[in-house]
Amino acid sequence: MSERALYLQAAESLRRNPGQWAAYDSHGHCVVLAGPGSGKTKTLTVKLARLLAEDVQEPRGVACITYNNECARELESRLAALGIEPGGRVFIGTVHSFSLTQIVLPYAKVAGLGLPDEFSVATQSERARALERAYRSVIDGPDNPQTWDFRMGNYRRAILNRNSPQWRERDPVLAALVEAFEDELRAMGRIDFDDMPLLALRALRANEWLQRALLAKYPVLVVDEYQDLGRALHRMVLGLCFSAGMRLFAVGDPDQSIYGFNGARPDLLQQLSRRDDVETVHLRLNYRCGSRIVTGSRYALGEDRDYEAAEGANEGTIHFHPRTGNRDQQADDLFSSLLPDIRERLPDLRLSDIAILYPSAPIGDAVASAAQNYGLQTIRTDKNSLYPRSSRLMRWLEQCAEWCCGGWRTGTPRFRTLMNDGQRIFSESLTAEGDVLLFQRRLLKTLWERRDSTVLLHWWLNEMRREAIAELIEGCRTLQDEGETLGAFIDRAAPDGDCAEMTLGQFAGRSEGKNCISLSTLHSAKGREFVVVIMFGMNDGTIPWHNQSNQRLVEWRRLFYVGFTRAKQELHMMYAANMPSPFVKEVEERLNADG
């Protein structure tokens, strides 16, 4: 079936939903306000396919900016199912990746950004050294310099115009620290992730020809999860779309904005949706959650919304589990009592259909320990996971491991997928004629000779690095930090490390969480869905923290709401009986009042 036939067939299923069809059929600037489970990713990918087939003439293309690598990977997978491979006419990536690869790397010199020749992206250890030197020169106090990193980052993202009086007047010490830190990075020949959108915005503001160059390449800009992307992206959108002439298609939900600590501004999406030159579409139907969960989600948010469960949705259930004892005892009770009850009630339930969500990673430690005591495999997506789940390199290695553990026989994943993903990850190193073919040959040889799920992971990772990817990592300015992540994990898998007994098969099982219960913070669960969700540690003082401002309380509410709306069929709240979260109490009281 042709690409055109595939997307047209997919589009037919959107006709039954007026909001989805209106978004698909939009012609000018369009903002889609999409509630949880409303099919926004499907709508977005089918719209992308239509744009490429009908609205954008080759060789021009479409740029799609996402919040994180997980979102980008999901969109790439959905587009591939419609016969569209990323690359060429389609850019899909984070705002940092867009800024770096489409603006900073190709145009740094001619745009007058003043960056060192052959600059690269700083690793975490290099950033730490630069901050320590900057702190000593500007403040030289008794603090650990790294405790200033968070405040410094907020200041960099909050005031985008360094020439404005506000930059120096709001906090002169922070302004001086930021400038010293960036000077230290430049002296090392480095930029960092916060630099990327800031430098890109600076280049666009100062060079109208650069705006025209981007317009020539990408007449359409698509933005997913707009509410999470902050001021720099918003300023880019205003300039590129409402001055330079790009067409905008943006999707988001202010109610799911939970990254205020990283500069997310849900009000920017709301401002955009109210513009007279923007068509605003609402997606109301929830295809994910059972009807009772949809009802309860209104109480979880603390504001009424007109969302409703899609026709034919299951009823869904919400259960409340007050518990005595400390956190470890409650985690033990989860696996000794609650989970067996759920699995008896839902005998076809797979472990990968279950998620346990909690407010912070230390709470997850208790859950992970209890799961291990009961012999249950888990996969963590919080900061205490074995390695960052956002790492493109590590996720690709998981897929390679899965291929070695039987995927070569079943076609899951396909070797072509591994090659394509690898080419995108190592694109900076694969520039000369024949580089791609050599990479493909090395990768196939390395994987084919190591198809054994029982080998120790330490050996396999070392072989992969040495035979297939070490030179490629070295040649990629954007992969140095991920190379350090890989090296640190190889050390953990060494004979004297805490993962010494991990086999290739166990590593491969992490690739899609096969036969594993997902353990995640509420923040990291965003965008995901599960048949059963257990929200653990829903205590007063934990969610929300005590003594919060009104603005922070609203964001705590949204975080609770995000966790609440991950569940398809069953939602379970676990909390200390003597101090339930006020959010939990309100949901239970209002559901009881409904009967």
PDB file of all heavy atoms in Angstrom, residues 300-321:
ATOM      1  N   ALA A 300      -9.770  15.320  40.412  1.00  0.00           N
ATOM      2  CA  ALA A 300      -8.325  15.327  40.641  1.00  0.00           C
ATOM      3  C   ALA A 300      -7.719  16.663  40.222  1.00  0.00           C
ATOM      4  O   ALA A 300      -6.848  17.208  40.900  1.00  0.00           O
ATOM      5  CB  ALA A 300      -7.661  14.182  39.873  1.00  0.00           C
ATOM      6  N   LEU A 301      -8.193  17.201  39.111  1.00  0.00           N
ATOM      7  CA  LEU A 301      -7.675  18.476  38.621  1.00  0.00           C
ATOM      8  C   LEU A 301      -8.186  19.650  39.449  1.00  0.00           C
ATOM      9  O   LEU A 301      -7.524  20.687  39.548  1.00  0.00           O
ATOM     10  CB  LEU A 301      -8.069  18.665  37.150  1.00  0.00           C
ATOM     11  CG  LEU A 301      -7.526  19.894  36.434  1.00  0.00           C
ATOM     12  CD1 LEU A 301      -6.002  19.874  36.392  1.00  0.00           C
ATOM     13  CD2 LEU A 301      -8.096  19.975  35.010  1.00  0.00           C
ATOM     14  N   GLY A 302      -9.355  19.474  40.044  1.00  0.00           N
ATOM     15  CA  GLY A 302      -9.928  20.550  40.841  1.00  0.00           C
ATOM     16  C   GLY A 302     -10.617  21.607  40.002  1.00  0.00           C
ATOM     17  O   GLY A 302     -11.000  22.661  40.514  1.00  0.00           O
ATOM     18  N   GLU A 303     -10.770  21.343  38.710  1.00  0.00           N
ATOM     19  CA  GLU A 303     -11.473  22.249  37.806  1.00  0.00           C
ATOM     20  C   GLU A 303     -12.335  21.421  36.868  1.00  0.00           C
ATOM     21  O   GLU A 303     -11.943  20.330  36.459  1.00  0.00           O
ATOM     22  CB  GLU A 303     -10.487  23.092  36.991  1.00  0.00           C
ATOM     23  CG  GLU A 303      -9.627  24.025  37.832  1.00  0.00           C
ATOM     24  CD  GLU A 303      -8.759  24.914  36.960  1.00  0.00           C
ATOM     25  OE1 GLU A 303      -9.234  25.335  35.886  1.00  0.00           O
ATOM     26  OE2 GLU A 303      -7.613  25.173  37.355  1.00  0.00           O
ATOM     27  N   ASP A 304     -13.481  21.960  36.521  1.00  0.00           N
ATOM     28  CA  ASP A 304     -14.374  21.218  35.644  1.00  0.00           C
ATOM     29  C   ASP A 304     -13.924  21.357  34.205  1.00  0.00           C
ATOM     30  O   ASP A 304     -13.551  22.437  33.755  1.00  0.00           O
ATOM     31  CB  ASP A 304     -15.813  21.720  35.789  1.00  0.00           C
ATOM     32  CG  ASP A 304     -16.817  20.708  35.250  1.00  0.00           C
ATOM     33  OD1 ASP A 304     -16.440  19.531  35.118  1.00  0.00           O
ATOM     34  OD2 ASP A 304     -17.961  21.099  34.957  1.00  0.00           O
ATOM     35  N   ARG A 305     -13.909  20.268  33.485  1.00  0.00           N
ATOM     36  CA  ARG A 305     -13.627  20.250  32.058  1.00  0.00           C
ATOM     37  C   ARG A 305     -14.738  19.459  31.373  1.00  0.00           C
ATOM     38  O   ARG A 305     -15.390  18.628  32.006  1.00  0.00           O
ATOM     39  CB  ARG A 305     -12.270  19.592  31.778  1.00  0.00           C
ATOM     40  CG  ARG A 305     -11.078  20.352  32.363  1.00  0.00           C
ATOM     41  CD  ARG A 305     -10.824  21.628  31.593  1.00  0.00           C
ATOM     42  NE  ARG A 305      -9.637  22.341  32.079  1.00  0.00           N
ATOM     43  CZ  ARG A 305      -9.650  23.328  32.948  1.00  0.00           C
ATOM     44  NH1 ARG A 305     -10.814  23.747  33.455  1.00  0.00           N
ATOM     45  NH2 ARG A 305      -8.527  23.936  33.326  1.00  0.00           N
ATOM     46  N   ASP A 306     -14.924  19.701  30.091  1.00  0.00           N
ATOM     47  CA  ASP A 306     -16.023  19.019  29.394  1.00  0.00           C
ATOM     48  C   ASP A 306     -15.569  17.720  28.738  1.00  0.00           C
ATOM     49  O   ASP A 306     -16.140  17.277  27.754  1.00  0.00           O
ATOM     50  CB  ASP A 306     -16.658  19.939  28.354  1.00  0.00           C
ATOM     51  CG  ASP A 306     -15.689  20.314  27.240  1.00  0.00           C
ATOM     52  OD1 ASP A 306     -14.471  20.065  27.407  1.00  0.00           O
ATOM     53  OD2 ASP A 306     -16.141  20.849  26.207  1.00  0.00           O
ATOM     54  N   TYR A 307     -14.524  17.087  29.292  1.00  0.00           N
ATOM     55  CA  TYR A 307     -14.070  15.811  28.747  1.00  0.00           C
ATOM     56  C   TYR A 307     -15.061  14.708  29.084  1.00  0.00           C
ATOM     57  O   TYR A 307     -15.690  14.721  30.145  1.00  0.00           O
ATOM     58  CB  TYR A 307     -12.695  15.438  29.314  1.00  0.00           C
ATOM     59  CG  TYR A 307     -11.612  16.441  29.005  1.00  0.00           C
ATOM     60  CD1 TYR A 307     -10.675  16.809  29.976  1.00  0.00           C
ATOM     61  CD2 TYR A 307     -11.505  17.014  27.746  1.00  0.00           C
ATOM     62  CE1 TYR A 307      -9.677  17.723  29.694  1.00  0.00           C
ATOM     63  CE2 TYR A 307     -10.509  17.941  27.465  1.00  0.00           C
ATOM     64  CZ  TYR A 307      -9.605  18.285  28.447  1.00  0.00           C
ATOM     65  OH  TYR A 307      -8.624  19.197  28.174  1.00  0.00           O
ATOM     66  N   GLU A 308     -15.151  13.743  28.202  1.00  0.00           N
ATOM     67  CA  GLU A 308     -15.981  12.571  28.473  1.00  0.00           C
ATOM     68  C   GLU A 308     -15.347  11.352  27.840  1.00  0.00           C
ATOM     69  O   GLU A 308     -14.559  11.463  26.887  1.00  0.00           O
ATOM     70  CB  GLU A 308     -17.396  12.770  27.945  1.00  0.00           C
ATOM     71  CG  GLU A 308     -17.496  13.026  26.451  1.00  0.00           C
ATOM     72  CD  GLU A 308     -18.930  13.262  26.019  1.00  0.00           C
ATOM     73  OE1 GLU A 308     -19.442  14.385  26.222  1.00  0.00           O
ATOM     74  OE2 GLU A 308     -19.530  12.322  25.464  1.00  0.00           O
ATOM     75  N   ALA A 309     -15.679  10.192  28.391  1.00  0.00           N
ATOM     76  CA  ALA A 309     -15.144   8.948  27.850  1.00  0.00           C
ATOM     77  C   ALA A 309     -15.741   8.691  26.475  1.00  0.00           C
ATOM     78  O   ALA A 309     -16.904   9.009  26.215  1.00  0.00           O
ATOM     79  CB  ALA A 309     -15.462   7.791  28.794  1.00  0.00           C
ATOM     80  N   ALA A 310     -14.936   8.135  25.589  1.00  0.00           N
ATOM     81  CA  ALA A 310     -15.413   7.829  24.242  1.00  0.00           C
ATOM     82  C   ALA A 310     -16.486   6.747  24.296  1.00  0.00           C
ATOM     83  O   ALA A 310     -16.556   5.945  25.242  1.00  0.00           O
ATOM     84  CB  ALA A 310     -14.246   7.376  23.373  1.00  0.00           C
ATOM     85  N   GLU A 311     -17.313   6.726  23.303  1.00  0.00           N
ATOM     86  CA  GLU A 311     -18.393   5.740  23.230  1.00  0.00           C
ATOM     87  C   GLU A 311     -17.809   4.334  23.262  1.00  0.00           C
ATOM     88  O   GLU A 311     -16.824   4.030  22.591  1.00  0.00           O
ATOM     89  CB  GLU A 311     -19.186   5.949  21.942  1.00  0.00           C
ATOM     90  CG  GLU A 311     -20.392   5.039  21.801  1.00  0.00           C
ATOM     91  CD  GLU A 311     -21.176   5.311  20.538  1.00  0.00           C
ATOM     92  OE1 GLU A 311     -20.833   6.272  19.812  1.00  0.00           O
ATOM     93  OE2 GLU A 311     -22.130   4.553  20.260  1.00  0.00           O
ATOM     94  N   GLY A 312     -18.412   3.486  24.078  1.00  0.00           N
ATOM     95  CA  GLY A 312     -17.952   2.104  24.187  1.00  0.00           C
ATOM     96  C   GLY A 312     -16.836   1.903  25.196  1.00  0.00           C
ATOM     97  O   GLY A 312     -16.337   0.776  25.347  1.00  0.00           O
ATOM     98  N   ALA A 313     -16.426   2.960  25.912  1.00  0.00           N
ATOM     99  CA  ALA A 313     -15.357   2.828  26.901  1.00  0.00           C
ATOM    100  C   ALA A 313     -15.820   1.971  28.069  1.00  0.00           C
ATOM    101  O   ALA A 313     -17.014   1.916  28.394  1.00  0.00           O
ATOM    102  CB  ALA A 313     -14.932   4.205  27.400  1.00  0.00           C
ATOM    103  N   ASN A 314     -14.860   1.275  28.712  1.00  0.00           N
ATOM    104  CA  ASN A 314     -15.209   0.516  29.907  1.00  0.00           C
ATOM    105  C   ASN A 314     -15.553   1.494  31.032  1.00  0.00           C
ATOM    106  O   ASN A 314     -15.232   2.686  30.963  1.00  0.00           O
ATOM    107  CB  ASN A 314     -14.067  -0.415  30.320  1.00  0.00           C
ATOM    108  CG  ASN A 314     -12.830   0.358  30.787  1.00  0.00           C
ATOM    109  OD1 ASN A 314     -12.754   0.790  31.936  1.00  0.00           O
ATOM    110  ND2 ASN A 314     -11.869   0.540  29.897  1.00  0.00           N
ATOM    111  N   GLU A 315     -16.200   0.995  32.070  1.00  0.00           N
ATOM    112  CA  GLU A 315     -16.590   1.878  33.168  1.00  0.00           C
ATOM    113  C   GLU A 315     -15.375   2.354  33.955  1.00  0.00           C
ATOM    114  O   GLU A 315     -15.284   3.516  34.352  1.00  0.00           O
ATOM    115  CB  GLU A 315     -17.571   1.170  34.108  1.00  0.00           C
ATOM    116  CG  GLU A 315     -18.049   2.063  35.238  1.00  0.00           C
ATOM    117  CD  GLU A 315     -19.056   1.371  36.144  1.00  0.00           C
ATOM    118  OE1 GLU A 315     -19.411   0.219  35.853  1.00  0.00           O
ATOM    119  OE2 GLU A 315     -19.476   1.994  37.134  1.00  0.00           O
ATOM    120  N   GLY A 316     -14.422   1.468  34.162  1.00  0.00           N
ATOM    121  CA  GLY A 316     -13.247   1.830  34.942  1.00  0.00           C
ATOM    122  C   GLY A 316     -13.567   1.883  36.429  1.00  0.00           C
ATOM    123  O   GLY A 316     -14.701   2.141  36.822  1.00  0.00           O
ATOM    124  N   THR A 317     -12.559   1.607  37.235  1.00  0.00           N
ATOM    125  CA  THR A 317     -12.764   1.626  38.685  1.00  0.00           C
ATOM    126  C   THR A 317     -11.633   2.391  39.361  1.00  0.00           C
ATOM    127  O   THR A 317     -10.501   2.422  38.876  1.00  0.00           O
ATOM    128  CB  THR A 317     -12.812   0.199  39.270  1.00  0.00           C
ATOM    129  OG1 THR A 317     -11.605  -0.504  38.902  1.00  0.00           O
ATOM    130  CG2 THR A 317     -14.019  -0.565  38.759  1.00  0.00           C
ATOM    131  N   ILE A 318     -11.979   3.025  40.486  1.00  0.00           N
ATOM    132  CA  ILE A 318     -11.000   3.746  41.303  1.00  0.00           C
ATOM    133  C   ILE A 318     -11.074   3.164  42.711  1.00  0.00           C
ATOM    134  O   ILE A 318     -12.161   3.081  43.298  1.00  0.00           O
ATOM    135  CB  ILE A 318     -11.304   5.251  41.337  1.00  0.00           C
ATOM    136  CG1 ILE A 318     -11.331   5.828  39.909  1.00  0.00           C
ATOM    137  CG2 ILE A 318     -10.261   5.989  42.169  1.00  0.00           C
ATOM    138  CD1 ILE A 318     -11.768   7.271  39.836  1.00  0.00           C
ATOM    139  N   HIS A 319      -9.934   2.731  43.235  1.00  0.00           N
ATOM    140  CA  HIS A 319      -9.877   2.088  44.543  1.00  0.00           C
ATOM    141  C   HIS A 319      -8.991   2.908  45.478  1.00  0.00           C
ATOM    142  O   HIS A 319      -7.956   3.437  45.056  1.00  0.00           O
ATOM    143  CB  HIS A 319      -9.307   0.668  44.428  1.00  0.00           C
ATOM    144  CG  HIS A 319     -10.041  -0.208  43.443  1.00  0.00           C
ATOM    145  ND1 HIS A 319     -11.064  -1.027  43.811  1.00  0.00           N
ATOM    146  CD2 HIS A 319      -9.883  -0.352  42.106  1.00  0.00           C
ATOM    147  CE1 HIS A 319     -11.517  -1.678  42.750  1.00  0.00           C
ATOM    148  NE2 HIS A 319     -10.818  -1.280  41.695  1.00  0.00           N
ATOM    149  N   PHE A 320      -9.377   2.965  46.735  1.00  0.00           N
ATOM    150  CA  PHE A 320      -8.630   3.718  47.742  1.00  0.00           C
ATOM    151  C   PHE A 320      -8.107   2.749  48.790  1.00  0.00           C
ATOM    152  O   PHE A 320      -8.861   1.913  49.308  1.00  0.00           O
ATOM    153  CB  PHE A 320      -9.526   4.782  48.371  1.00  0.00           C
ATOM    154  CG  PHE A 320     -10.015   5.802  47.378  1.00  0.00           C
ATOM    155  CD1 PHE A 320     -11.197   5.589  46.671  1.00  0.00           C
ATOM    156  CD2 PHE A 320      -9.290   6.953  47.119  1.00  0.00           C
ATOM    157  CE1 PHE A 320     -11.655   6.505  45.734  1.00  0.00           C
ATOM    158  CE2 PHE A 320      -9.738   7.883  46.182  1.00  0.00           C
ATOM    159  CZ  PHE A 320     -10.921   7.660  45.489  1.00  0.00           C
ATOM    160  N   HIS A 321      -6.816   2.845  49.094  1.00  0.00           N
ATOM    161  CA  HIS A 321      -6.159   1.884  49.979  1.00  0.00           C
ATOM    162  C   HIS A 321      -5.397   2.598  51.089  1.00  0.00           C
ATOM    163  O   HIS A 321      -4.170   2.780  50.990  1.00  0.00           O
ATOM    164  CB  HIS A 321      -5.209   0.991  49.187  1.00  0.00           C
ATOM    165  CG  HIS A 321      -5.831   0.279  48.032  1.00  0.00           C
ATOM    166  ND1 HIS A 321      -6.630  -0.828  48.183  1.00  0.00           N
ATOM    167  CD2 HIS A 321      -5.790   0.537  46.694  1.00  0.00           C
ATOM    168  CE1 HIS A 321      -7.036  -1.250  46.990  1.00  0.00           C
ATOM    169  NE2 HIS A 321      -6.544  -0.427  46.068  1.00  0.00           N
TER     170      HIS A 321
END
